[in-house]
Amino acid sequence: MSDLQATEQTPTKRINGLGIAVIVPGKDGVPRPATRGEIIRMDAHRKGEYQLASDDKRVIVHHWETVITEIERIRGFGSYSPAVDLFLNRAKAGDLTPRVLDAAEAVAVGKKTIPSRSTIFQKLEAYRDHGIDGLVKKHKGRVRVEGGWEGFALERFSQSTQPNISSIHRELMEIHQFSVGYEQVLHYINSLPANLGRMSPARIGARLYKLTQKAFFRRCIDNALPGDIYAADGYKADIYLAHPITGKIFRPELTVAIDVASRHIVHVRADEHEGTYAVQNMWAEAFAKWNHVPLQLYVDHGSGHENHLMCDELTGFYNRAGIQHVIFAHPGNPHGKGWIERFFRTFKDDFLRVQWADFCCADEQADEVLNRVTREIKAGRLKLPSLQEFMASMNAWLERYHSRPIPGRDDGISKAALWAQLQPIAPTASLTVMKRRSEPRKVRRATVTQDGREYVHADLHQWNGQTVVLEYDLMDDKVAVVRTLKGEFICDANLIAKQSQFSDNRLEDLRQKRLENQIKRKQKHLDEDIARAGRVFDAEALAEGALPALEGEARRIEHSDFSLDDFN
C-alpha cells in the first residue's frame, strides 16, 4: 500500500449531535474532542507561500495544479500509483489535452517533456498536506559561504573613485592575505543589488544616480490642448557668430519657448545671456506673436525666470500678463523639462552640426578643430556669419521641424497640424505694455522717483504719501505710466529730472553698470597678480636697506611685460 493510499485512513473531523467538533482517529478508533488548533488556524492572518511567491513561481504552481487535477480525474476512486503511470503513458503518447500537455512540459526539468514519477508523487503529497502553498518551489539555490573578504571588497568598490575589480582583488590578495580568486570577487560584485552595485549612489554620485537610475513620475499631458502649457529654457548655442556690436566671436544665448501639447516652438529670442530682460521680452513677444496667453508656464529656477520683477504678486510680469499658474522645475532635474531638452538635442544634431558645421563648436568636436577655426577667424581668413543670417536659417529649419510627427502619438499628426488647432486667448495688453517693467513706488509732492529719475503729474497730488505702481520702458524714459495697486490707470507722468550719469535708455544704464562691475572684477585680478609679482623681504633686509630694495622692485615691475590685454 502506498503512502497516499494510507492517507485514506487518516483522522477526519465531523460535528456530533451536540454541536461539538470531534476527531475520528480511524475506522477502529474512538472519537475524541477536537482541539482549538485543529479547528481554527492560529496563523490565518499570515500570508501563505503562494501569496508571497513571485509571478514566475505562481505560473509554475498553476501548471502543477493542472497536472494534479488531471491525475485526480484519471484516478477516480482508485489508487494513485496506477493513475500516475497511466498519466505518464498518455503524456508520452500525446494522448492528453493540449492544456495538460503544455502544463506537463512546463513543470518538467531540463530537456524532458514530462516530469518524473517521483516528482509527481512529491507534489501530490505536498498538495494534499498544504494545498496550493505546497506547490510553490522553495529551492533557492546553494547557500553561499562567506569568506570574510566581502565587506572590505564592497567598501572599496563603493568608493566615488570607482576602482575596478582587478585592483580590489589584488589588494585582497597582497595586503590582506585573503585566498580568493578574481572570478569570486567578480561574481560577488555582480550579484549585488542595484543600490550597491556598479551604478550605486555611493559609486556614481547621488545626483547621477537620481538622473539615470532612480524612478521618477512622468507628467501626464494627454488631456492638454495646444496653448495650455508653455515650457521655456535657455541654451548657449554651440556656434560662433559675429557679435552685433563688436564683430568678435560671439555665442548667442537662445531663450526658447515650446508648446507642450504640440511640441511647436512658439518663439526663439537671442541675447547675450538669459537674464530678466531676455526672458520677459521673449514671453511678451511670444504672447503677441500668436495673440495668445497660455494657462500655465513650466520654467526652471533660473534668475531670469524667478525674481521679483517676474513673480511679484502685485507688479510681477506673470500676474500682469494673465498667467494662471507657473510651475518651477526641480533644480538639477532635466527630466522635468524633457520636451525642451529634447528639442535642444535635436536642434544641435540636425541643424548646428549639419548646416553650420564650419562654425559649430559642440563638445563632440576635437580641440584642434576648434582651435583652427578660432585662429582662422582671428586672422581674418574666415568670416563669421551674422546673427541675422543665423536666425533666418533657423526659422527655415523650424518650418521643416514643425512638419515632423509628434513623438509618442499613434495618429502621426505633425506639430504644425496640431498647433493649427489653437484657440487663442488674447492678451489684455499690447506688446509695448507687456515689455514694461513695474515697481511699487510712494508718491511725494506729486512726484514719483525711480532709478534716479523723477516723474511728475498734477493728478498725483491726491496720491501724496500713498503707494502706486509705476510702469516704465527700458528703452525710453520720457514717460512712465502710474496705476493704482489694483491696476487702475491714474496718469502718464512726465520725466522732469534725472541724475547726470543716467542716459535716456535704461537698458544702456544696465549695460554700463554691468561693464563697470566687469572692470572691477578684472582690476581685482590685476591687483592680485601685481602683488604676486613682488618679492618677500625679511626683517633684517628691510631694516638695513629697505628703500633701495623697494625702488629696485618698482623698476622691475615697471619694465615687465604685464598688460591688461591678458584678461581679454
Side-chain angles (χ1 to χ4, degrees):
M1 181 182 297
S2 64
D3 294 338
L4 286 171
Q5 289 172 322
T7 59
E8 298 176 357
Q9 307 297 329
T10 56
T12 59
K13 182 175 67 175
R14 64 181 177 83
I15 307 297
N16 62 10
L18 299 177
I20 302 175
V22 296
I23 294 295
V24 181
K27 289 183 178 181
D28 302 329
V30 179
R32 62 175 175 82
T35 63
R36 179 179 175 86
E38 291 170 335
I39 299 175
I40 303 175
R41 286 190 57 187
M42 304 304 292
D43 59 347
H45 64 285
R46 298 179 182 176
K47 291 184 177 180
E49 294 289 341
Y50 178 80
Q51 292 178 301
L52 299 174
S54 62
D55 293 340
D56 294 339
K57 289 186 177 181
R58 290 185 180 184
V59 172
I60 299 299
V61 168
H62 294 158
H63 289 317
W64 268 117
E65 198 170 23
T66 302
V67 172
I68 292 174
T69 302
E70 179 64 17
I71 294 175
E72 291 286 354
R73 189 190 65 80
I74 296 174
R75 182 179 75 92
F77 294 98
S79 175
Y80 276 100
S81 182
V84 171
D85 292 337
L86 183 58
F87 171 82
L88 293 175
N89 292 333
R90 289 182 178 179
K92 292 178 182 178
D95 191 16
L96 293 172
T97 62
R99 177 171 174 268
V100 177
L101 288 175
D102 292 341
E105 185 177 359
V107 298
V109 179
K111 297 182 179 180
K112 298 180 180 180
T113 57
I114 56 176
S116 64
R117 190 173 188 273
S118 60
T119 303
I120 292 177
F121 274 102
Q122 290 176 3
K123 293 298 182 181
L124 285 171
E125 185 177 359
Y127 187 69
R128 179 201 66 196
D129 295 341
H130 306 287
I132 196 172
D133 291 340
L135 300 179
V136 178
K137 184 178 180 181
K138 300 179 179 61
H139 178 65
K140 299 182 179 179
R142 182 169 59 89
V143 179
R144 186 180 180 278
V145 179
E146 296 292 334
W149 49 267
E150 292 83 359
F152 182 82
L154 177 59
E155 180 184 357
R156 283 287 187 265
F157 188 76
S158 299
Q159 291 178 345
S160 59
T161 53
Q162 302 185 13
N164 54 51
I165 297 178
S166 59
S167 300
I168 298 175
H169 173 249
R170 281 192 292 268
E171 184 173 356
L172 292 173
M173 295 284 291
E174 298 173 357
I175 299 179
H176 301 282
Q177 303 300 315
F178 284 109
S179 179
V180 57
Y182 172 81
E183 296 296 335
Q184 290 179 275
V185 181
L186 176 64
H187 178 73
Y188 172 72
I189 295 298
N190 290 337
S191 64
L192 293 172
N195 59 342
L196 295 176
R198 298 179 183 274
M199 304 301 290
S200 65
R203 184 173 172 86
I204 66 175
R207 182 175 181 274
L208 185 58
Y209 178 81
K210 177 182 177 182
L211 294 179
T212 60
Q213 304 296 319
K214 195 173 181 180
F216 63 94
F217 296 99
R218 295 183 180 272
R219 292 186 179 272
C220 180
I221 58 172
D222 296 340
N223 298 325
L225 300 176
D228 281 355
I229 308 174
Y230 285 176
D233 201 1
Y235 168 59
K236 194 75 170 179
D238 297 311
I239 187 172
Y240 291 142
L241 301 178
H243 193 280
I245 299 177
T246 64
K248 295 184 178 181
I249 294 178
F250 163 65
R251 289 181 59 189
E253 179 78 26
L254 301 180
T255 307
V256 182
I258 185 174
D259 176 63
V260 173
S262 65
R263 307 296 201 276
H264 189 279
I265 305 301
V266 295
H267 194 59
V268 179
R269 180 182 172 89
D271 293 273
E272 290 184 320
H273 59 89
E274 188 190 9
T276 306
Y277 174 78
V279 172
Q280 179 180 348
N281 281 268
M282 186 278 296
W283 283 129
E285 293 166 3
F287 300 162
K289 179 179 181 180
W290 302 101
N291 194 32
H292 173 71
V293 178
L295 300 177
Q296 299 183 27
L297 298 181
Y298 199 113
V299 296
D300 56 23
H301 287 272
S303 59
H305 297 278
E306 188 179 21
N307 53 71
H308 74 280
L309 291 174
M310 301 292 291
C311 304
D312 189 82
E313 295 183 359
L314 176 64
T315 61
F317 171 79
Y318 298 136
N319 183 55
R320 292 188 293 114
I323 303 298
Q324 300 297 320
H325 182 54
V326 180
I327 305 173
F328 291 99
H330 292 294
N333 180 30
H335 298 102
K337 305 189 304 300
W339 317 285
I340 193 72
E341 299 292 348
R342 177 70 260 185
F343 168 76
F344 288 150
R345 179 60 183 270
T346 305
F347 174 75
K348 177 181 176 181
D349 292 344
D350 293 4
F351 180 63
L352 295 181
R353 297 173 63 182
V354 176
Q355 300 187 29
W356 293 89
D358 293 340
F359 300 96
C360 182
C361 54
D363 297 335
E364 292 80 3
Q365 290 185 272
D367 293 337
E368 57 267 21
V369 176
L370 297 179
N371 294 335
R372 178 183 58 81
V373 172
T374 55
R375 287 197 303 268
E376 293 293 319
I377 293 174
K378 292 180 180 180
R381 294 187 292 269
L382 186 62
K383 183 181 178 181
L384 285 169
S386 65
L387 180 60
Q388 291 76 10
E389 294 173 346
F390 173 74
M391 295 302 293
S393 176
M394 180 180 178
N395 291 332
W397 176 81
L398 283 176
E399 292 183 4
R400 300 191 298 271
Y401 173 77
H402 291 153
S403 64
R404 301 176 185 175
I406 301 175
R409 291 184 63 116
D410 298 332
D411 53 6
I413 188 172
S414 66
K415 303 175 180 66
L418 186 58
W419 176 249
Q421 301 176 13
L422 172 70
Q423 297 181 359
I425 301 175
T428 58
S430 64
L431 176 61
T432 303
V433 175
M434 286 191 291
K435 283 190 173 184
R436 291 174 183 167
R437 290 191 176 181
S438 179
E439 293 183 13
R441 292 292 169 183
K442 183 168 288 189
V443 180
R444 292 183 176 88
R445 297 187 178 184
T447 303
V448 179
T449 304
Q450 195 275 334
D451 280 347
R453 296 171 172 85
E454 295 182 5
Y455 295 90
V456 67
H457 195 276
D459 293 343
L460 292 177
H461 280 287
Q462 57 182 332
W463 294 90
N464 283 337
Q466 300 185 40
T467 300
V468 296
V469 175
L470 182 72
E471 292 182 0
Y472 56 91
D473 194 331
L474 289 177
M475 306 300 293
D476 186 6
D477 64 353
K478 298 295 188 300
V479 178
V481 180
V482 184
R483 301 181 184 274
T484 66
L485 295 180
K486 295 182 179 180
E488 300 173 352
F489 177 79
I490 297 178
C491 64
D492 289 331
N494 297 314
L495 178 68
I496 59 170
K498 64 179 177 181
Q499 298 179 11
S500 58
Q501 68 267 28
F502 293 117
S503 64
D504 296 338
N505 190 324
R506 282 186 174 85
L507 188 58
E508 277 301 320
D509 296 339
L510 294 175
R511 290 172 178 167
Q512 182 64 28
K513 186 176 181 180
R514 184 182 64 182
L515 177 61
E516 292 174 358
N517 293 332
Q518 290 175 344
I519 293 175
K520 289 180 181 178
R521 288 192 295 269
K522 291 185 178 182
Q523 184 63 42
K524 182 179 179 180
H525 291 299
L526 174 62
D527 295 340
E528 181 180 347
D529 287 342
I530 292 177
R532 290 179 182 273
R535 289 201 299 265
V536 179
F537 304 99
D538 56 34
E540 294 182 358
L542 289 174
E544 294 178 359
L547 185 58
L550 291 176
E551 290 177 351
E553 185 63 21
R555 288 193 300 271
R556 189 185 73 80
I557 296 177
E558 182 179 359
H559 293 86
S560 66
D561 296 330
F562 187 85
S563 174
L564 276 174
D565 294 336
D566 297 337
F567 299 95
N568 298 327

PDB file of all heavy atoms in Angstrom, residues 131-147:
ATOM      1  N   GLY A 131      -2.061  22.138   0.420  1.00  0.00           N
ATOM      2  CA  GLY A 131      -2.846  22.811  -0.601  1.00  0.00           C
ATOM      3  C   GLY A 131      -1.974  23.479  -1.645  1.00  0.00           C
ATOM      4  O   GLY A 131      -0.883  22.996  -1.987  1.00  0.00           O
ATOM      5  N   ILE A 132      -2.440  24.606  -2.129  1.00  0.00           N
ATOM      6  CA  ILE A 132      -1.712  25.291  -3.207  1.00  0.00           C
ATOM      7  C   ILE A 132      -0.368  25.836  -2.730  1.00  0.00           C
ATOM      8  O   ILE A 132       0.570  25.994  -3.509  1.00  0.00           O
ATOM      9  CB  ILE A 132      -2.587  26.419  -3.794  1.00  0.00           C
ATOM     10  CG1 ILE A 132      -2.028  26.876  -5.149  1.00  0.00           C
ATOM     11  CG2 ILE A 132      -2.680  27.592  -2.826  1.00  0.00           C
ATOM     12  CD1 ILE A 132      -2.933  27.836  -5.870  1.00  0.00           C
ATOM     13  N   ASP A 133      -0.236  26.112  -1.423  1.00  0.00           N
ATOM     14  CA  ASP A 133       1.052  26.581  -0.897  1.00  0.00           C
ATOM     15  C   ASP A 133       2.136  25.525  -1.009  1.00  0.00           C
ATOM     16  O   ASP A 133       3.325  25.836  -1.109  1.00  0.00           O
ATOM     17  CB  ASP A 133       0.895  26.990   0.570  1.00  0.00           C
ATOM     18  CG  ASP A 133       0.063  28.253   0.724  1.00  0.00           C
ATOM     19  OD1 ASP A 133      -0.056  28.991  -0.274  1.00  0.00           O
ATOM     20  OD2 ASP A 133      -0.454  28.498   1.826  1.00  0.00           O
ATOM     21  N   GLY A 134       1.739  24.252  -0.978  1.00  0.00           N
ATOM     22  CA  GLY A 134       2.729  23.191  -1.076  1.00  0.00           C
ATOM     23  C   GLY A 134       3.328  23.039  -2.452  1.00  0.00           C
ATOM     24  O   GLY A 134       4.361  22.368  -2.612  1.00  0.00           O
ATOM     25  N   LEU A 135       2.716  23.609  -3.469  1.00  0.00           N
ATOM     26  CA  LEU A 135       3.241  23.511  -4.836  1.00  0.00           C
ATOM     27  C   LEU A 135       4.263  24.586  -5.166  1.00  0.00           C
ATOM     28  O   LEU A 135       4.860  24.552  -6.245  1.00  0.00           O
ATOM     29  CB  LEU A 135       2.080  23.593  -5.837  1.00  0.00           C
ATOM     30  CG  LEU A 135       1.001  22.504  -5.702  1.00  0.00           C
ATOM     31  CD1 LEU A 135      -0.082  22.730  -6.742  1.00  0.00           C
ATOM     32  CD2 LEU A 135       1.617  21.118  -5.847  1.00  0.00           C
ATOM     33  N   VAL A 136       4.454  25.556  -4.271  1.00  0.00           N
ATOM     34  CA  VAL A 136       5.418  26.632  -4.528  1.00  0.00           C
ATOM     35  C   VAL A 136       6.827  26.073  -4.395  1.00  0.00           C
ATOM     36  O   VAL A 136       7.163  25.407  -3.405  1.00  0.00           O
ATOM     37  CB  VAL A 136       5.206  27.797  -3.545  1.00  0.00           C
ATOM     38  CG1 VAL A 136       6.248  28.883  -3.791  1.00  0.00           C
ATOM     39  CG2 VAL A 136       3.807  28.354  -3.700  1.00  0.00           C
ATOM     40  N   LYS A 137       7.650  26.357  -5.378  1.00  0.00           N
ATOM     41  CA  LYS A 137       9.036  25.883  -5.363  1.00  0.00           C
ATOM     42  C   LYS A 137       9.822  26.651  -4.306  1.00  0.00           C
ATOM     43  O   LYS A 137       9.898  27.871  -4.342  1.00  0.00           O
ATOM     44  CB  LYS A 137       9.664  26.092  -6.740  1.00  0.00           C
ATOM     45  CG  LYS A 137      11.076  25.546  -6.852  1.00  0.00           C
ATOM     46  CD  LYS A 137      11.616  25.743  -8.265  1.00  0.00           C
ATOM     47  CE  LYS A 137      13.043  25.203  -8.381  1.00  0.00           C
ATOM     48  NZ  LYS A 137      13.602  25.399  -9.736  1.00  0.00           N
ATOM     49  N   LYS A 138      10.404  25.911  -3.388  1.00  0.00           N
ATOM     50  CA  LYS A 138      11.134  26.537  -2.286  1.00  0.00           C
ATOM     51  C   LYS A 138      12.640  26.473  -2.471  1.00  0.00           C
ATOM     52  O   LYS A 138      13.391  26.998  -1.639  1.00  0.00           O
ATOM     53  CB  LYS A 138      10.756  25.869  -0.959  1.00  0.00           C
ATOM     54  CG  LYS A 138       9.270  25.970  -0.612  1.00  0.00           C
ATOM     55  CD  LYS A 138       8.965  25.283   0.681  1.00  0.00           C
ATOM     56  CE  LYS A 138       7.485  25.416   1.019  1.00  0.00           C
ATOM     57  NZ  LYS A 138       6.623  24.809   0.006  1.00  0.00           N
ATOM     58  N   HIS A 139      13.095  25.853  -3.517  1.00  0.00           N
ATOM     59  CA  HIS A 139      14.536  25.743  -3.733  1.00  0.00           C
ATOM     60  C   HIS A 139      15.105  27.105  -4.139  1.00  0.00           C
ATOM     61  O   HIS A 139      14.642  27.729  -5.101  1.00  0.00           O
ATOM     62  CB  HIS A 139      14.834  24.714  -4.823  1.00  0.00           C
ATOM     63  CG  HIS A 139      16.295  24.573  -5.126  1.00  0.00           C
ATOM     64  ND1 HIS A 139      17.209  24.092  -4.215  1.00  0.00           N
ATOM     65  CD2 HIS A 139      17.002  24.877  -6.248  1.00  0.00           C
ATOM     66  CE1 HIS A 139      18.408  24.082  -4.754  1.00  0.00           C
ATOM     67  NE2 HIS A 139      18.314  24.551  -5.998  1.00  0.00           N
ATOM     68  N   LYS A 140      16.074  27.587  -3.426  1.00  0.00           N
ATOM     69  CA  LYS A 140      16.670  28.903  -3.683  1.00  0.00           C
ATOM     70  C   LYS A 140      18.136  28.810  -4.061  1.00  0.00           C
ATOM     71  O   LYS A 140      18.867  29.796  -4.003  1.00  0.00           O
ATOM     72  CB  LYS A 140      16.520  29.791  -2.447  1.00  0.00           C
ATOM     73  CG  LYS A 140      15.059  30.050  -2.063  1.00  0.00           C
ATOM     74  CD  LYS A 140      14.950  30.956  -0.876  1.00  0.00           C
ATOM     75  CE  LYS A 140      13.483  31.210  -0.531  1.00  0.00           C
ATOM     76  NZ  LYS A 140      13.327  32.094   0.648  1.00  0.00           N
ATOM     77  N   GLY A 141      18.601  27.659  -4.445  1.00  0.00           N
ATOM     78  CA  GLY A 141      19.992  27.517  -4.853  1.00  0.00           C
ATOM     79  C   GLY A 141      20.902  27.178  -3.686  1.00  0.00           C
ATOM     80  O   GLY A 141      20.493  27.099  -2.530  1.00  0.00           O
ATOM     81  N   ARG A 142      22.142  27.006  -4.013  1.00  0.00           N
ATOM     82  CA  ARG A 142      23.126  26.649  -3.000  1.00  0.00           C
ATOM     83  C   ARG A 142      23.403  27.842  -2.103  1.00  0.00           C
ATOM     84  O   ARG A 142      23.569  28.973  -2.571  1.00  0.00           O
ATOM     85  CB  ARG A 142      24.417  26.183  -3.675  1.00  0.00           C
ATOM     86  CG  ARG A 142      25.502  25.730  -2.713  1.00  0.00           C
ATOM     87  CD  ARG A 142      26.614  25.054  -3.491  1.00  0.00           C
ATOM     88  NE  ARG A 142      27.183  25.963  -4.472  1.00  0.00           N
ATOM     89  CZ  ARG A 142      28.209  26.795  -4.215  1.00  0.00           C
ATOM     90  NH1 ARG A 142      28.739  26.813  -3.008  1.00  0.00           N
ATOM     91  NH2 ARG A 142      28.690  27.564  -5.165  1.00  0.00           N
ATOM     92  N   VAL A 143      23.471  27.607  -0.816  1.00  0.00           N
ATOM     93  CA  VAL A 143      23.737  28.665   0.152  1.00  0.00           C
ATOM     94  C   VAL A 143      25.200  29.070   0.055  1.00  0.00           C
ATOM     95  O   VAL A 143      26.107  28.229   0.121  1.00  0.00           O
ATOM     96  CB  VAL A 143      23.401  28.209   1.583  1.00  0.00           C
ATOM     97  CG1 VAL A 143      23.717  29.315   2.578  1.00  0.00           C
ATOM     98  CG2 VAL A 143      21.940  27.798   1.672  1.00  0.00           C
ATOM     99  N   ARG A 144      25.415  30.363  -0.109  1.00  0.00           N
ATOM    100  CA  ARG A 144      26.770  30.859  -0.264  1.00  0.00           C
ATOM    101  C   ARG A 144      27.475  30.924   1.088  1.00  0.00           C
ATOM    102  O   ARG A 144      26.910  31.352   2.094  1.00  0.00           O
ATOM    103  CB  ARG A 144      26.741  32.260  -0.896  1.00  0.00           C
ATOM    104  CG  ARG A 144      28.119  32.799  -1.225  1.00  0.00           C
ATOM    105  CD  ARG A 144      27.998  34.181  -1.850  1.00  0.00           C
ATOM    106  NE  ARG A 144      29.309  34.693  -2.156  1.00  0.00           N
ATOM    107  CZ  ARG A 144      30.105  35.278  -1.271  1.00  0.00           C
ATOM    108  NH1 ARG A 144      29.687  35.428  -0.023  1.00  0.00           N
ATOM    109  NH2 ARG A 144      31.292  35.707  -1.607  1.00  0.00           N
ATOM    110  N   VAL A 145      28.745  30.506   1.096  1.00  0.00           N
ATOM    111  CA  VAL A 145      29.556  30.522   2.316  1.00  0.00           C
ATOM    112  C   VAL A 145      30.401  31.792   2.327  1.00  0.00           C
ATOM    113  O   VAL A 145      31.113  32.089   1.353  1.00  0.00           O
ATOM    114  CB  VAL A 145      30.457  29.276   2.400  1.00  0.00           C
ATOM    115  CG1 VAL A 145      31.306  29.319   3.668  1.00  0.00           C
ATOM    116  CG2 VAL A 145      29.615  28.010   2.353  1.00  0.00           C
ATOM    117  N   GLU A 146      30.279  32.591   3.370  1.00  0.00           N
ATOM    118  CA  GLU A 146      31.022  33.836   3.479  1.00  0.00           C
ATOM    119  C   GLU A 146      32.513  33.549   3.635  1.00  0.00           C
ATOM    120  O   GLU A 146      32.914  32.633   4.361  1.00  0.00           O
ATOM    121  CB  GLU A 146      30.522  34.649   4.677  1.00  0.00           C
ATOM    122  CG  GLU A 146      29.074  35.100   4.557  1.00  0.00           C
ATOM    123  CD  GLU A 146      28.892  36.139   3.466  1.00  0.00           C
ATOM    124  OE1 GLU A 146      29.869  36.855   3.162  1.00  0.00           O
ATOM    125  OE2 GLU A 146      27.788  36.235   2.914  1.00  0.00           O
ATOM    126  N   GLY A 147      33.328  34.374   2.948  1.00  0.00           N
ATOM    127  CA  GLY A 147      34.775  34.206   3.025  1.00  0.00           C
ATOM    128  C   GLY A 147      35.466  35.234   3.893  1.00  0.00           C
ATOM    129  O   GLY A 147      36.689  35.166   4.075  1.00  0.00           O
TER     130      GLY A 147
END
